[in-house]
Amino acid sequence: LIELDGLFKTYEVGTQKVPALKNITIDVKETEYLAIMGPSGSGKSTLMNIIGCLDIPTEGSYRLKGREVGTLDDDELAEIRSAEIGFVFQTFNLLPRMTAFQNVELPLIYGRASRKGRSDRVWETIDAVGLKERAHHRPSELSGGQRQRVAIARALINRPSIILADEPTGNLDSTTGEEIMQIFRQLNNAGNTIILVTHEQYIAEHARRIVKLLDGEVASDTTA
Amino acid sequence: LIELDGLFKTYEVGTQKVPALKNITIDVKETEYLAIMGPSGSGKSTLMNIIGCLDIPTEGSYRLKGREVGTLDDDELAEIRSAEIGFVFQTFNLLPRMTAFQNVELPLIYGRASRKGRSDRVWETIDAVGLKERAHHRPSELSGGQRQRVAIARALINRPSIILADEPTGNLDSTTGEEIMQIFRQLNNAGNTIILVTHEQYIAEHARRIVKLLDGEVASDTTA
Ligand SMILES: Nc1ncnc2c1ncn2[C@@H]1O[C@H](COP(=O)(O)OP(=O)(O)OP(=O)(O)O)[C@@H](O)[C@H]1O
Ligand SMILES: Nc1ncnc2c1ncn2[C@@H]1O[C@H](COP(=O)(O)OP(=O)(O)OP(=O)(O)O)[C@@H](O)[C@H]1O
Ligand SMILES: [Mg+2]
Ligand SMILES: [Mg+2]
């Protein structure tokens, strides 16, 4: 499904080069459940952004379902992102002037579902993350963990087959975090592929495989 | 130092009332080290914002060093916030067009230190949180955990006697999180008062007292 081969990502800050990823080679098969761990700044979000087609590598190959992502044009990338990938951002990236409901509904707006069909699905997903009573609040009227759950709901609403979650429980207490992990468990059992970044060992242990990054490189790749 | 008595905070969303804090009575003495825990949405950040003079209660009393905060005018509140309180926000609140260095330096700009004196102190604090190599990056050029550490450095730069940290290790791996806890430990040993919100038990155990919130109320208040 996902084949990264000799991937490099180097940022440029003024004249300085920041090598965020070096020589990354990882294969992820359909229905896998993978956790990515590593110290702050080790390249986890950078790797997720490339897998999620939000950024392109400086060097190396990324094949998604056999297609070389670097050769796709913007429309094809946008299509993949909306149809196949659900992305939970480390910093949520919610639209501040829309309510939780509207933020979660957004990925459905250009789809084929009727307004009633959309609304039912939005309520179902908002309920699944425990936010029914907060659906009409805007992000500034929500707690940190509530915003995180809106971001999770929005990522899942289109029933993507690949779920990329960057520290999805970072702002959640252990009970609420466990409820989110239950959702991911069900989605994986249903055949979806899950890659989650976490710095918490007990969250990583929900996955069946743990890749550890260190300074932009793969330090270990362990299957349970 | 901090006396909350019968504190209520109720938000209004449209016509709906959201009772975020109910009947909170807590005393915090100088040099205490207190952790606040509780489920997502239980009122922790709301409580921190009131203690930090960033928001006012709907009802009840908050005395800081014997002065009723509700009776102070905006200038007096701004003075307290800049001189006495260092606040690490759950969502960092960094200025996007400034570098990490400039963000950390900001609270010093209106003070009495010379530019060289400021610069030395900024480098010292940036180094203490492990960000020397990233000082000239802007927030969008930093990882989540690096942004969190810029927020921490900025909160500490003015050497405030009261440190309020809202989930300061939420985006940090355990090693980096431990380094931050060491800094807090040293500051507390030096006589500063620390209140930190966390949902992680092993972080809360660094404190000497744990207050647990549930649905806006104090559910337990335990001294180690
Ligand atoms: N500006 C606001 N307007 C309306 N409701 C609000 C506002 N800010 C917070 N709330 C609500 O008040 C409650 C408490 O919010 P608060 O941010 O204090 O929670 P928290 O304990 O910090 O949660 P988390 O662990 O998720 O950060 C939440 O249910 C939230 O939806
Ligand atoms: N746009 C950018 N420009 C320059 N450097 C960047 C940029 N984005 C990230 N970096 C740097 O690349 C490195 C990897 O960043 P990344 O966000 O992938 O780390 P991370 O593993 O997700 O960290 P964290 O656990 O703190 O979220 C960091 O050292 C960061 O400073
Ligand atoms: Mg990250
Ligand atoms: Mg909060």
Side-chain angles (χ1 to χ4, degrees), chain A residues 11-13 18 20 38-47 90 166-167, chain B residues 134 137 140-146 149 171:
Chain A
Y11 292 110
E12 291 181 25
V13 181
V18 179
S40 174
S42 54
K44 308 180 293 296
S45 298
T46 302
L47 181 56
Q90 186 171 6
D166 196 344
E167 309 219 19
Chain B
R134 294 286 181 265
H137 287 225
S140 61
E141 299 166 329
L142 293 172
S143 78
Q146 291 167 345
R149 285 180 275 158
N171 281 284

Side-chain angles (χ1 to χ4, degrees), chain A residues 134 137-147 149 171-173, chain B residues 10-13 18-21 38-49 90 166-167 197 199 213:
Chain A
R134 293 285 181 266
H137 287 225
R138 274 169 285 126
S140 61
E141 299 166 329
L142 292 173
S143 78
Q146 290 167 347
R147 289 174 207 170
R149 284 181 276 157
N171 280 285
L172 300 176
D173 56 281
Chain B
T10 302
Y11 292 110
E12 291 181 24
V13 181
V18 177
L21 292 175
S40 174
S42 55
K44 306 179 295 295
S45 297
T46 301
L47 180 57
M48 292 289 267
N49 289 340
Q90 185 171 7
D166 197 343
E167 308 217 21
V197 167
H199 62 255
L213 296 187

Side-chain angles (χ1 to χ4, degrees), chain A residues 102-221:
Chain A
Q102 292 164 340
N103 265 285
V104 174
E105 186 187 29
L106 201 58
L108 297 181
I109 292 284
Y110 300 108
R112 268 162 287 157
S114 68
R115 193 158 154 275
K116 168 104 182 51
R118 280 203 314 262
S119 174
D120 287 349
R121 212 201 296 186
V122 173
W123 280 116
E124 181 187 3
T125 313
I126 280 186
D127 192 27
V129 298
L131 286 180
K132 237 183 17 193
E133 272 105 57
R134 293 285 181 266
H136 302 304
H137 287 225
R138 274 169 285 126
S140 61
E141 299 166 329
L142 292 173
S143 78
Q146 290 167 347
R147 289 174 207 170
Q148 188 155 40
R149 284 181 276 157
V150 175
I152 292 166
R154 180 184 61 182
L156 302 182
I157 196 80
N158 242 338
R159 296 173 189 157
S161 55
I162 303 169
I163 293 148
L164 305 177
D166 196 344
E167 309 219 19
T169 61
N171 280 285
L172 300 176
D173 56 281
S174 46
T175 306
T176 314
E178 204 34 56
E179 293 167 11
I180 296 302
M181 296 314 290
Q182 279 305 322
I183 296 175
F184 288 165
R185 163 72 44 218
Q186 291 164 10
L187 289 167
N188 186 241
N189 289 343
N192 299 297
T193 307
I194 303 197
I195 303 178
L196 61 92
V197 168
T198 181
H199 62 257
E200 301 189 76
Q201 189 69 32
Y202 74 88
I203 294 288
E205 284 167 6
H206 285 83
R208 286 190 297 276
R209 173 183 171 197
I210 297 180
V211 168
K212 294 197 177 179
L213 295 188
L214 190 60
D215 267 335
E217 300 186 89
V218 175
S220 67
D221 188 342

